Amino acid sequence: MPKSAQPNTQQAALWNDASGKAWVEMQPILDEILAPFERLVVNAGYPGEGGNVLDIGCGAGATTLAMARRVGDGHCVGLDISQPLVALATERARVEGVANASFEGGDAQAYAFESGRFDAVVSRFGVMFFDDPVAAFANVRQAARRGGKLAFAAWRSPAENDFMTTAARAAAPFLPPAPVPDPDAPGQFAFADGAKVKRILEASGWSSIEVERADVPCRIAEGDLMTYVTRLGPVGAALREVDRATAEKITAVLPTAFAPFVKHGEAHFNAACWLVTALA
Ligand SMILES: C[S@@+](CC[C@H](N)C(=O)[O-])C[C@H]1O[C@@H](n2cnc3c(N)ncnc32)[C@H](O)[C@@H]1O
């Protein structure tokens, strides 16, 4: 992707429009699916009672709120480039009465963090969208105090995440050929290569880097499954663009494609991910 004077303009546009709106609408379903990662990331990044934590790409704020509850007298700031998601997260903190969580809109790659402000930096799938990951992780590192923790979850490869790629495979016969994906382009699978993730963190000054496989069983209610697969990801995007006849053909094949995952009213799948930890 060409670098522009202002970074992440394409991702900012997506997350402030179609992707962000879809994540706002799907927040309860997404939080249900991703709940195991909330626990994984909070446990890995927990800085201790009273700690000050930053949640990068916090989305609708589930992980920020969970960390804020965990740190007691401490505080958790959620930062996100998407204004609709920051607004939803702020409202959730108010409704749920989590006074030690707050949310800020901004790009983690360029945000002017106060140096050494945080005891820990965490993220649940919010760090794979940078034009320049080394610049972004260097910027985030200077926001952490010396020795502060980093802990985030990121997806491994599409080949290892068949649930995540089933919709695109099923829809492919009805869509123009998709361009060969650039493994380095910002997106869900940008951190699929664990060795690359380690190089990014080394180059941005983090130490004690661990990139561990995390295979996490996830579930979604069968009644939510078609909503999920037709609103998010490449098929969600395609369905917003295609004509009605094509959309009907795609939505007709999706239930059969996902049938192997469904049992007793729920779809179950393995989320093949990395749990990445490091120290500032
Ligand atoms: C896959 S969603 C994950 C959201 C949230 N962490 C969760 O688990 O529900 C990725 C999030 O990263 C945010 N994001 C993308 N690029 C960003 C950037 N450069 N700075 C801050 N947030 C960013 C998006 O707006 C989106 O909310």
Side-chain angles (χ1 to χ4, degrees):
M1 170 182 287
K3 306 228 164 74
S4 57
Q6 190 179 356
N8 302 315
T9 47
Q10 282 184 14
Q11 290 295 318
L14 269 176
W15 288 105
N16 278 286
D17 192 25
S19 298
K21 286 177 189 160
W23 272 69
V24 165
E25 285 165 24
M26 302 285 289
Q27 175 262 312
I29 296 177
L30 286 162
D31 281 345
E32 185 190 3
I33 298 172
L34 299 178
F37 288 97
E38 175 190 305
R39 292 186 282 275
L40 192 74
V41 166
V42 168
N43 285 339
Y46 178 61
E49 169 75 23
N52 216 2
V53 184
L54 171 66
D55 178 12
I56 299 283
C58 63
T63 308
T64 319
L65 295 173
M67 182 61 96
R69 289 187 171 104
R70 182 86 184 270
V71 293
D73 288 340
H75 191 95
C76 189
V77 176
L79 176 76
D80 203 285
I81 205 165
S82 168
Q83 291 302 336
L85 281 163
V86 167
L88 174 59
T90 304
E91 178 60 7
R92 284 179 80 187
R94 191 189 66 75
V95 168
E96 295 180 28
V98 186
N100 64 336
S102 60
F103 295 91
E104 296 175 28
D107 177 349
Q109 187 174 322
Y111 196 85
F113 294 109
E114 182 192 325
S115 187
R117 174 177 168 193
F118 297 105
D119 301 302
V121 177
V122 298
S123 183
R124 184 179 77 171
F125 302 122
V127 292
M128 301 91 77
F129 304 94
F130 303 123
D131 286 350
D132 185 340
V134 172
F137 276 98
N139 192 43
V140 168
R141 183 180 53 78
Q142 69 84 37
R145 68 163 169 76
R146 197 172 169 77
K149 283 182 172 182
L150 173 69
F152 67 83
W155 296 97
R156 301 208 306 273
S157 68
E160 293 165 281
N161 282 289
D162 57 344
F163 180 86
M164 289 292 159
T165 52
T166 292
R169 268 195 309 280
F174 310 105
L175 296 171
V180 179
D182 171 358
D184 291 326
Q188 181 179 9
F189 294 113
F191 279 10
D193 177 353
K196 182 180 95 174
V197 177
K198 192 163 190 209
R199 285 196 299 275
I200 288 168
L201 293 181
E202 281 166 353
S204 51
W206 293 88
S207 59
S208 306
I209 302 158
E210 303 283 348
V211 181
E212 290 170 26
R213 293 164 74 92
D215 287 288
V216 178
C218 292
R219 53 167 294 283
I220 174 172
E222 187 180 4
D224 292 331
L225 180 60
M226 285 304 115
T227 312
Y228 171 74
V229 298
T230 56
R231 299 301 310 281
L232 292 176
V235 171
L239 287 172
R240 288 191 283 273
E241 302 293 326
V242 297
D243 60 65
R244 196 170 162 169
T246 306
E248 282 173 3
K249 285 180 197 155
I250 292 171
T251 49
V253 298
L254 290 174
T256 310
F258 279 93
F261 296 100
V262 179
K263 204 172 162 188
H264 306 313
E266 290 183 331
H268 295 264
F269 66 95
N270 176 57
C273 295
W274 301 117
L275 176 64
V276 182
T277 54
L279 297 177

